[in-house]
Amino acid sequence: MILVWYRDDLRTIDHAPLEWAREHDEDIRAVYVWESPPSGLRPIGAASRWWLAYSLQAHRRRLAELGISLQLVTGDPEQLIPQFAAECGAQAVVWQRRYVPELAQRDAAIKSTLAADYEVRSFPGFLLSEPWEVQTNEGSSYKVYSPYARKAGELLGEDVGPGDLQRPPELEPDWELDEDIRALGLVSEIDWAAGFREHWQPGEAGAWKALDRFEQRCAEYGDYADKRDYPAVPATSRLSPHLRFGEISPVAAWQDISDSTFRSELLWREFAWSRLWARPDLATTNVRAQFDHFPWAWNSAAGEYGLTPPEEDYAEQLQQWRRGHTGVPLVDAGMRELWATGTMHNRVRMVVGSWLTKNLGIHWRHGEEWFWDTLVDADYASNPFNWQWVAGCGDDAAPYFRIFNPLTQEKKFDPKHRYIQRWVPEWGTPMYPEPHVDVKESRARALAAYKDTTQRYRAGVVD
Ligand SMILES: Cc1cc2nc3c(=O)[nH]c(=O)nc-3n(C[C@H](O)[C@H](O)[C@H](O)COP(=O)(O)OP(=O)(O)OC[C@H]3O[C@@H](n4cnc5c(N)ncnc54)[C@H](O)[C@@H]3O)c2cc1C
């Protein structure tokens, strides 16, 4: 009997642990541990929990078609996995690797405990390359995307993956959770995410549906590179939450879609993960230390987890931003899209991030935490990495003085206001206010603060 321990890899296609198990035994069991994260690592946010519940439901059904039962347990995997392996008389335990440093360390400890009694194997599959493989010639991790992508591309070569992958069978969404999945408490009794169902189908079948839809669009229009910045146009793949929960492998996406811009986006994902591997503190610490002295609004007395409560002087502005009531149409549209669907178009993510961190002067960590809670694709690497990129304090980040003007962005990327009208129905009526913060003045303030911090840092006079 072989035990497959599922984590962020809720799929059956292009899943090396399952393939290995099927080659070596007919008797396979699967387990998922709803675990409390190791100390210092935050629990997943509310929108991700919603996704996980339905992804588990879909995965269980898919595995059942293959004659494999998926058992759910709650607690500490360091105790539960050895216990479960013993109870079911496993000869081997297999899993797909994770790349959050704290989780990888925990997995290494579990591996060494198990190794005394079982064959234990871990496999790649969450990323295209192992983060420790894509290194500079000096053996360090890349801090700039372009050379990273070049090296990653060279290592990947022409033939990524096994070629033609079988598609999973179609599966209709199942919104009635099994009792044991419901008991995990991932989905709250108040059905606040009801709207998500119109937009998503968590699980492997939903992932392949999204990939097929995208592939068809690429074949028909070939307009990903041109249209991916227009939030009203459905030109992007919408694969991010499926990749986040491992319902489809990045190899499958890479193989199916040869568009070079799309592939470079997949490499941004890899780059973010390679940065997290090198910088486990990515979600809490400015990568560029000079920003430690930037006067961002932040409540440093906050606790370890959850949404940091803002201090009084900026609480109202933060709340208006979160709820999409800033009076800036593109920002409000994005924040409302996020609340209603669990996602936000990438261009708009950059605009709302710039507005928060530059025009409002609020710390990127407040934005990162809000996205962490509300995005269905929130992950340990891409979310903090992109927030630091937007705020200007990360690796290869947008320079701080690149402040997105949300009104210019609106003209350029939503010229007919289709996106804004969809999410802000009162826009253009007397009900919709002027921006609560003046666009030009706040930009000038942000630039002055940046100049001041930079000068003081260079002069060595920061405290
Ligand atoms: C402030 C901010 C926060 C973000 N937080 C996340 C997050 O928590 N999780 C997440 O997956 N993406 C995050 N992104 C990146 C990006 O917005 C989403 O990956 C993208 O919008 C998902 O839509 P899609 O699948 O249709 O993307 P597509 O355009 O179809 O891109 C294909 C895939 O490439 C990857 N990708 C694309 N852009 C990026 C990027 N900038 N960084 C990393 N990977 C990328 C994603 O896996 C995506 O599914 C964030 C961006 C910003 C500006």
Side-chain angles (χ1 to χ4, degrees):
M1 207 285 288
I2 296 178
L3 181 62
V4 182
W5 177 20
Y6 272 103
R7 296 95 68 85
D8 289 338
D9 52 340
L10 302 174
R11 68 176 182 278
T12 59
I13 307 290
D14 192 30
H15 188 268
L18 184 60
E19 280 160 23
W20 188 87
R22 292 174 92 184
E23 273 164 26
H24 287 81
D25 210 313
E26 284 178 1
D27 189 4
I28 300 170
R29 287 180 65 179
V31 64
Y32 182 89
V33 185
W34 173 237
E35 56 189 296
S36 38
S39 141
L41 197 66
R42 56 188 163 167
I44 64 173
S48 301
R49 286 202 297 276
W50 176 88
W51 188 285
L52 175 61
Y54 293 102
S55 187
L56 285 169
Q57 176 83 10
H59 193 49
R60 172 176 275 166
R61 285 181 58 191
R62 172 73 186 121
L63 283 174
E65 287 170 356
L66 302 174
I68 301 169
S69 81
L70 173 68
Q71 177 131 1
L72 303 179
V73 284
T74 304
D76 181 354
E78 283 188 71
Q79 286 161 10
L80 288 174
I81 292 295
Q83 197 180 314
F84 196 71
E87 272 168 24
C88 56
Q91 273 99 45
V93 184
V94 292
W95 62 72
Q96 182 183 279
R97 280 177 213 134
R98 317 190 260 200
Y99 302 96
V100 179
E102 292 87 340
L103 294 176
Q105 270 167 25
R106 181 192 257 197
D107 289 351
I110 297 174
K111 199 173 193 175
S112 66
T113 310
L114 287 170
D117 302 304
Y118 308 93
E119 180 165 5
V120 193
R121 291 197 175 231
S122 66
F123 297 84
F126 185 73
L127 298 171
L128 294 164
S129 309
E130 302 292 63
W132 51 86
E133 281 172 7
V134 188
Q135 299 272 323
T136 65
N137 293 339
E138 290 73 44
S140 58
S141 162
Y142 283 97
K143 293 182 179 162
V144 179
Y145 171 75
S146 302
Y148 171 87
R150 237 188 335 269
K151 183 67 173 268
E154 273 166 34
L155 290 174
L156 285 170
E158 291 294 309
D159 301 318
V160 175
D164 241 7
L165 288 169
Q166 209 192 347
R167 260 122 171 100
E170 299 240 339
L171 189 69
E172 283 311 306
D174 178 1
W175 302 117
E176 280 301 314
L177 291 176
D178 293 347
E179 203 39 58
D180 59 340
I181 298 181
R182 180 161 287 284
L184 296 178
L186 297 169
V187 175
S188 76
E189 290 303 321
I190 305 160
D191 196 7
W192 60 270
F196 286 18
R197 293 183 205 139
E198 290 165 33
H199 300 275
W200 300 108
Q201 180 180 348
E204 188 169 34
W208 281 85
K209 229 185 246 180
L211 183 65
D212 286 343
R213 224 178 6 242
F214 183 56
E215 198 179 350
Q216 206 174 336
R217 181 167 180 115
C218 289
E220 265 175 47
Y221 302 106
D223 62 354
Y224 175 76
D226 296 339
K227 293 284 178 354
R228 57 183 284 274
D229 275 320
Y230 293 82
V233 183
T236 69
S237 69
R238 291 174 67 85
L239 280 173
S240 53
H242 299 293
L243 288 164
R244 153 71 181 88
F245 287 94
E247 299 163 359
I248 192 164
S249 70
V251 165
W254 182 280
Q255 275 191 177
D256 257 38
I257 311 289
S258 57
D259 183 291
S260 60
T261 312
F262 176 76
R263 287 183 171 178
S264 77
E265 293 309 320
L266 289 179
L267 291 179
W268 272 105
R269 173 176 181 265
E270 301 274 312
F271 184 51
W273 278 95
S274 89
R275 294 316 299 147
L276 179 71
W277 189 252
R279 294 280 315 229
D281 59 354
L282 198 62
T284 50
T285 309
N286 298 313
V287 170
R288 292 168 61 205
Q290 75 190 77
F291 281 87
D292 293 352
H293 307 286
F294 192 80
W296 271 315
W298 176 247
N299 180 356
S300 51
E304 202 182 349
Y305 296 132
L307 288 173
T308 301
E311 281 173 346
E312 211 181 313
D313 54 348
Y314 65 96
E316 195 181 341
Q317 281 188 341
L318 180 61
Q319 188 64 354
Q320 286 166 347
W321 178 83
R322 284 177 179 168
R323 298 287 172 215
H325 288 286
T326 63
V328 181
L330 195 55
V331 172
D332 290 348
M335 299 309 292
R336 293 190 203 181
E337 180 189 20
L338 174 61
W339 187 250
T341 69
T343 190
M344 189 195 302
H345 188 274
N346 181 59
R347 165 70 34 186
V348 191
R349 291 187 201 199
M350 295 193 278
V351 172
V352 304
S354 178
W355 184 257
L356 182 80
T357 57
K358 297 178 178 175
N359 300 75
L360 299 181
I362 294 177
H363 204 296
W364 59 267
R365 288 186 61 189
H366 276 301
E368 198 274 343
E369 287 179 353
W370 184 247
F371 273 29
W372 181 257
D373 210 33
T374 53
L375 274 176
V376 286
D377 66 16
D379 79 37
Y380 285 101
S382 301
N383 196 39
F385 170 86
N386 278 288
W387 271 99
Q388 295 224 32
W389 184 91
V390 169
C393 55
D395 291 309
D396 202 8
Y400 185 85
F401 47 79
R402 184 172 170 213
I403 300 180
F404 287 84
N405 179 327
L407 306 176
T408 320
Q409 293 282 312
E410 174 190 316
K411 277 201 192 103
K412 209 164 159 192
F413 297 111
D414 192 28
K416 295 187 179 150
H417 301 114
R418 278 165 48 210
Y419 178 73
I420 288 173
Q421 273 165 348
R422 174 164 189 208
W423 296 110
V424 190
E426 78 277 23
W427 173 79
T429 72
M431 305 271 289
Y432 192 69
E434 288 295 311
H436 298 317
V437 168
D438 184 82
V439 178
K440 276 194 184 148
E441 270 174 29
S442 55
R443 177 191 155 82
R445 250 197 325 271
L447 286 175
Y450 174 66
K451 204 168 151 196
D452 182 55
T453 308
T454 309
Q455 276 171 355
R456 292 195 312 140
Y457 182 73
R458 286 202 185 124
V461 291
V462 281
D463 31 76

